[in-house]
């Protein structure tokens, strides 16, 4: 099969709206949490989130275009633009039938749906809906808009598997390229659900932290007193490219994606398997797909959402797969900084790993104060500060409601 490399990156995150800004946030252990500004949070139990800050869409798109996009698609299109420029892609020089776009999203245009329904119930009952309601709301619109912008006519769709969505997108893109069906695929994810229904829905499940008096440290993966995740928003896009195609056009190569897999817990709609069985299996299958051993992995970017059950189950699964090698790894959760980007999480966290390879550091798990007695203290969870380290290969985990598990392995490129 063909080898697949990463030749471009783009990101919009709560800790930086470009790749350089995101890198700086990771290296400095910045928290993206702040009071919610997207809506009036007066009556909500959780009053904070990890919002995208300081983004001016008019620097990238015309006002008319912006009005016709939900925020999740807007984030995806802008991140894709950064990735395309970073990769030096010139559409007029490409076989556009062999360039695709696969994006993941967990929910899609939730704010658009809320706005339209609010307008309807405030009215006189006459169904006056925007003709853009459906195209703004649907989950697959982000990759569609990217393909329209650049004329990419290859494979194009959206993966929807809750928090595992964009890792599934990466895995699918990897497969299409290594099977020779496309030369280039823009793979990633986008999400924007910091809305009354989004925050209210997760809050009613008791999934969100309620640490309103100390929101900057509320995302506390593997910390004893963690009380739920902090919802985030944003987008991440990686340019995946067939190696020989990349070489032929003289592209810079960040890293090589070498394996991916997916499993199901088949256990519960929202809770992980308590012994981490699905998580364990997906890591085993990803290692097999990459033809790598546990000794080849130097870093794991864990799902690590800061929920009481999930963090324990995942660390158990890592120890089951890696055995004694687990103590020689660096492990961290970048959600401690970005919050949980839901369907965009996998792409953004894979980008974090690619940056870690290229800049020789491990992003930290910030906001750690007290060890959890149910999590092995000998694990190197890279607490509070980034650590300098040469990373040969990393594994990134994402697990979603419904029991969806997906993982990918990316390694340092060696020609």
């Amino acid at each position: 099969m063909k080898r697949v490399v990463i030749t471009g990156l783009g990101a919009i995150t709560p800790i930086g709206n470009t790749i350089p800004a995101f890198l700086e946030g990771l290296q400095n252990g910045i928290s993206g949490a702040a009071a919610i500004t997207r809506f009036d949070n007066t009556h909500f139990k959780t009053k904070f989130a990890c919002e995208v800050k300081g983004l001016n869409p008019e620097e990238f798109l015309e006002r008319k275009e912006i009005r016709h996009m939900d925020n999740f698609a807007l984030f995806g299109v802008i991140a894709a633009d950064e990735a395309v420029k970073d990769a030096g892609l010139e559409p007029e020089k490409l076989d556009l039938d062999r360039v695709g776009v696969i994006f993941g999203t967990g929910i899609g245009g939730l704010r658009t749906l809320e706005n339209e329904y609010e307008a309807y119930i405030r009215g006189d009952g006459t169904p006056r809906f925007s003709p853009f309601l459906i195209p703004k709301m649907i989950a697959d619109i982000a990759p569609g808009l990217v393909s329209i912008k650049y004329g990419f006519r290859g494979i194009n769709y959206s993966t929807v598997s809750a928090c595992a969505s964009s890792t599934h997108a990466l895995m699918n893109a990897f497969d299409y390229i290594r099977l020779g069906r496309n030369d280039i695929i823009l793979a990633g994810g986008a999400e924007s659900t910091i809305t009354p229904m989004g925050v209210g829905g997760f809050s009613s499940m008791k999934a969100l932290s309620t640490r309103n008096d100390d929101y900057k440290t509320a995302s506390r993966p593997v910390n004893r007193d963690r009380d739920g995740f902090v919802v985030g928003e944003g987008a991440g896009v990686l340019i995946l490219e067939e190696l020989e195609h990349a070489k032929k056009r003289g592209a810079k190569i960040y890293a090589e994606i070498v394996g991916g897999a997916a499993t199901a817990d088949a256990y519960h709609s929202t809770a992980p398997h308590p012994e981490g069985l699905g998580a364990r299996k997906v890591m085993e299958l990803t290692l097999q797909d990459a033809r790598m051993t546990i000794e080849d992995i130097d870093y794991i970017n864990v799902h690590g959402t800061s929920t009481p059950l999930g963090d324990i189950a995942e660390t158990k699964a890592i120890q089951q797969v890696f055995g004694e090698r687990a103590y020689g790894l660096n492990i961290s959760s970048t959600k401690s900084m970005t919050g949980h980007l839901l369907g965009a999480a996998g792409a953004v966290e894979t980008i974090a790993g690619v940056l870690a390879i290229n800049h020789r550091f491990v992003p930290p798990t910030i906001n750690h104060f007290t060890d959890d007695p149910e999590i092995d203290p000998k694990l190197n969870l890279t607490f509070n500060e980034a650590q300098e380290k040469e990373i040969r290969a990393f594994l990134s985990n994402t697990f979603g409601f419904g029991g969806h598990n997906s993982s990918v392995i990316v390694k340092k490129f060696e020609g």
Side-chain angles (χ1 to χ4, degrees):
M1 291 191 284
K2 309 285 188 181
R3 291 174 66 185
V4 182
V5 293
I6 297 165
T7 58
L9 303 172
I12 293 176
T13 80
I15 62 170
N17 296 336
T18 62
I19 290 296
F22 180 47
L23 171 62
E24 184 177 353
L26 293 172
Q27 290 174 321
N28 291 292
I30 300 299
S31 170
I36 290 171
T37 66
R38 296 273 189 266
F39 61 91
D40 181 358
N41 62 39
T42 302
H43 301 294
F44 285 74
K45 291 181 180 178
T46 295
K47 303 178 185 298
F48 60 93
C50 285
E51 296 179 343
V52 168
K53 306 163 191 69
L55 180 70
N56 181 7
E58 292 185 19
E59 293 179 4
F60 305 93
L61 299 162
E62 299 293 329
R63 287 186 181 181
K64 182 178 179 180
E65 293 178 287
I66 295 167
R67 288 199 302 270
H68 296 166
M69 291 185 197
D70 188 271
N71 264 0
F72 92 100
L74 184 69
F75 293 157
V77 169
I78 295 173
D81 186 64
E82 182 182 19
V84 166
K85 289 174 179 174
D86 184 44
L89 296 184
E90 300 176 82
E92 66 276 9
K93 295 181 180 180
L94 301 173
D95 181 349
L96 298 178
D97 292 320
R98 294 184 60 81
V99 183
V101 189
I102 305 177
F103 276 15
T105 189
I107 297 176
L110 184 60
R111 182 66 253 190
T112 293
L113 182 62
E114 289 182 30
N115 286 342
E116 289 291 320
Y117 187 66
E118 286 169 3
Y120 172 66
I121 61 174
R122 286 197 303 265
D124 61 5
T126 304
R128 298 186 182 93
F129 293 100
S130 167
F132 296 101
L133 165 60
I134 300 303
K136 285 176 69 174
M137 181 192 71
I138 52 178
D140 65 309
I141 197 64
L145 291 171
V146 172
S147 72
I148 292 166
K149 180 178 176 66
Y150 299 102
F152 298 150
R153 297 190 297 265
I155 190 77
N156 189 285
Y157 63 90
S158 182
T159 52
V160 181
S161 48
C163 310
S165 298
S166 56
T167 305
H168 278 130
L170 289 170
M171 188 181 69
N172 288 181
F174 171 54
D175 283 341
Y176 277 111
I177 294 173
R178 65 175 168 172
L179 290 171
R181 294 178 179 174
N182 275 229
D183 298 324
I184 299 171
I185 297 179
L186 282 68
E191 199 81 88
S192 182
T193 59
I194 303 175
T195 73
M197 287 178 65
V199 173
F202 283 122
S203 181
S204 68
M205 295 172 61
K206 302 188 184 303
L208 298 183
S209 170
T210 56
R211 202 176 297 277
N212 295 304
D213 58 343
D214 191 14
Y215 54 75
K216 283 288 184 186
T217 71
S219 184
R220 302 183 176 191
V222 303
N223 199 77
R224 186 183 66 187
D225 60 354
R226 64 192 180 277
D227 69 332
F229 71 81
V230 179
V231 67
E233 63 180 358
V237 178
L238 300 91
I239 307 293
L240 271 55
E241 187 167 357
E242 193 272 321
L243 174 59
E244 295 306 318
H245 188 277
K247 285 182 174 180
K248 192 174 294 184
R249 68 180 189 86
K252 71 174 180 293
I253 295 173
Y254 282 103
E256 181 174 3
I257 182 167
V258 291
T263 65
D265 275 3
Y267 172 73
H268 190 275
S269 60
T270 58
H273 192 285
E275 298 302 317
L277 296 185
R280 182 191 74 192
K281 190 64 177 177
V282 78
M283 287 187 278
E284 290 173 345
L285 291 173
T286 302
L287 284 163
Q288 290 175 25
D289 189 50
R291 299 183 181 180
M292 299 179 83
T293 71
I294 57 175
E295 298 297 331
D296 296 320
I297 305 299
D298 294 317
Y299 168 50
I300 300 176
N301 190 309
V302 291
H303 188 54
T305 58
S306 187
T307 54
L309 297 178
D311 293 359
I312 293 171
E314 186 172 11
T315 52
K316 282 183 180 178
I318 289 170
Q319 290 182 281
Q320 291 166 3
V321 174
F322 286 85
E324 289 296 315
R325 172 62 183 157
Y327 302 121
L329 297 166
N330 275 83
I331 300 167
S332 74
S333 170
T334 49
K335 289 184 179 73
S336 61
M337 295 175 276
T338 66
H340 192 350
L341 273 64
L342 308 178
V348 169
E349 289 158 18
T350 301
I351 290 170
V354 172
L355 293 174
I357 285 176
N358 282 269
H359 295 272
R360 299 178 176 86
F361 79 107
V362 178
T365 304
I366 66 169
N367 304 327
H368 185 73
F369 305 100
T370 311
D371 290 345
D372 185 331
E374 295 193 59
I375 295 174
D376 192 334
K378 292 187 293 182
L379 293 172
N380 182 0
L381 292 156
T382 322
F383 288 133
N384 296 324
E385 293 185 358
Q387 181 178 324
E388 291 185 13
K389 184 169 185 173
E390 185 80 21
I391 298 172
R392 297 168 300 162
F394 73 89
L395 183 146
S396 180
N397 287 333
T398 47
F399 312 133
F401 285 171
H404 310 295
N405 308 305
S406 56
S407 300
V408 293
I409 291 175
V410 176
K411 73 174 187 177
K412 186 175 181 179
F413 175 68
E414 298 172 349

